[in-house]
Amino acid sequence: MKIGAFAERIGLSAHTIRYYERIGLLPRCPRDGGQRRDYDASALPWIAFLTRLRRTGMPIRDMVRYAEWRAAGQGTEAERRDLLVRHRDRVRAHVVDLQACLSVLDAKIAGYGDPPPSEPQHDTDTSHRRPVRPGIARPG
Amino acid sequence: MKIGAFAERIGLSAHTIRYYERIGLLPRCPRDGGQRRDYDASALPWIAFLTRLRRTGMPIRDMVRYAEWRAAGQGTEAERRDLLVRHRDRVRAHVVDLQACLSVLDAKIAGYGDPPPSEPQHDTDTSHRRPVRPGIARPG
DNA sequence: GCTTAACGTCGAGCGCGCTCGAAGTCGTAG
DNA sequence: CTACGACTTCGAGCGCGCTCGACGTTAAGC
């Protein structure tokens, strides 16, 4: 599988994949005839895990450390585990914070009242909505 | 309250506060004797809300749009509400994704097994931990 | 009056995570 | 044989959200 098809499959650009290989996130991949990258499905789980680390906000330098430990093989399990545990704890705290922010957002939105039905809604059943009360002016 | 004290109180740098004012996130604040910014507590709720928008990942350009609508006053409630609703929906989706990633992380960490008790733990009660099973080698 | 620290404006710079373009190589379709 | 498009390496550039430094002014304490 060439890098273009692979990129499309995993939802990254070919540029990004080469960049990841360059900085050591991805191991040097096998080449066909010595030049062009040729991927197979065995690379997918690792990349999927990497993208999860990214989406959860792990800095790339930490991902690189993890990748180095992984490449080093046995003897690095404790470090890898610690890194993941610390990351998980940060992510958990972040989720808690986001949820708190969400309730603030909900309150703010409720303070603006229901939207005017100027455009017909796709969902025409409004029976579940709370009655319209004109919003009281607030700071913000 | 001068900008230094204010900055310390809200947890932003004076540089950042001036930057926020420059780009229109904060209204031009009253000056003492025409020059130096003089804040009072009435600015706090708005800044707190702004920092929540930031922490939840709203781009600054959207925050500026919101701030402009807020400054424009009445007649912009629908726009403000829509912006917040769209943002809230993105944040909700993000939280869902983070939670999914967290369970992957948990599984990965579990795959490394319990950490070796080389350092004495602060929590010496280990009765709640699952029994030690040597980790099975896995990719990653 | 003098020192000093906090303030002011302005614009440049930084760290991050890509993103892109240039310029060349290769393999296959027509 | 030719054209094309996907690949290669390399290094520069970008968008974001600050962050900082230079340099001048000003108010407060001694």
Side-chain angles (χ1 to χ4, degrees):
Chain A
M1 195 181 212
K2 294 294 167 49
I3 195 173
F6 191 67
E8 182 144 353
R9 172 144 177 200
I10 64 181
L12 295 175
S13 74
H15 275 304
T16 301
I17 295 174
R18 289 193 208 99
Y19 164 71
Y20 278 3
E21 185 177 319
R22 213 158 70 214
I23 66 177
L25 270 189
L26 300 180
R28 184 179 166 80
C29 110
R31 313 294 166 118
D32 67 339
Q35 281 278 69
R36 299 189 173 198
R37 291 169 182 81
D38 197 2
Y39 294 92
D40 69 17
S42 69
L44 291 176
W46 171 235
I47 295 204
F49 186 60
L50 284 180
T51 60
R52 276 199 182 82
L53 293 181
R54 275 296 305 124
R55 291 212 308 280
T56 51
M58 182 181 282
I60 283 202
R61 59 182 172 281
D62 285 354
M63 295 168 60
V64 170
R65 289 168 67 211
Y66 186 86
E68 288 168 351
W69 281 325
R70 179 180 123 103
Q74 289 196 333
T76 61
E77 289 82 0
E79 287 87 346
R80 282 186 262 171
R81 185 186 191 283
D82 284 358
L83 182 57
L84 293 189
V85 166
R86 276 193 294 271
H87 180 60
R88 179 188 61 184
D89 292 349
R90 278 192 301 267
V91 176
R92 279 181 180 163
H94 187 204
V95 167
V96 168
D97 182 49
L98 287 182
Q99 284 166 336
C101 289
L102 272 177
S103 58
V104 171
L105 264 178
D106 284 336
K108 196 81 168 183
I109 288 166
Y112 281 120
D114 281 337
S118 54
E119 299 283 336
Q121 311 281 322
H122 285 266
D123 173 8
T124 54
D125 173 14
T126 60
S127 58
H128 59 288
R129 296 191 192 148
R130 61 172 185 72
V132 172
R133 275 182 293 133
I136 298 162
R138 290 169 188 239
Chain B
M1 196 180 211
K2 293 294 169 46
I3 197 174
F6 191 66
E8 184 145 352
R9 174 145 176 200
I10 64 181
L12 295 174
S13 73
H15 275 305
T16 301
I17 295 175
R18 290 194 207 99
Y19 164 71
Y20 278 3
E21 185 178 318
R22 215 158 68 213
I23 66 176
L25 269 190
L26 299 178
R28 183 179 166 81
C29 109
R31 314 294 166 119
D32 68 338
Q35 282 276 72
R36 300 188 173 199
R37 293 169 181 82
D38 196 3
Y39 294 92
D40 69 16
S42 69
L44 292 176
W46 172 235
I47 295 204
F49 186 60
L50 283 181
T51 60
R52 275 198 183 83
L53 293 181
R54 276 297 305 125
R55 291 212 308 280
T56 50
M58 182 181 283
I60 283 203
R61 58 181 171 281
D62 286 354
M63 294 168 62
V64 170
R65 288 167 69 211
Y66 186 87
E68 287 168 350
W69 281 324
R70 179 179 124 102
Q74 288 196 333
T76 60
E77 290 82 359
E79 287 87 345
R80 281 185 262 171
R81 185 186 191 285
D82 283 358
L83 183 57
L84 293 190
V85 167
R86 277 194 293 271
H87 180 59
R88 179 187 61 184
D89 292 349
R90 279 192 300 268
V91 177
R92 280 180 180 163
H94 187 204
V95 167
V96 167
D97 183 49
L98 287 182
Q99 284 167 335
C101 290
L102 273 177
S103 56
V104 171
L105 264 178
D106 284 337
K108 195 81 169 183
I109 289 167
Y112 281 119
D114 281 340
S118 53
E119 300 284 339
Q121 309 283 321
H122 286 264
D123 173 10
T124 55
D125 173 14
T126 59
S127 59
H128 58 288
R129 298 195 190 143
R130 60 174 188 72
V132 172
R133 274 182 292 133
I136 299 162
R138 289 167 189 242

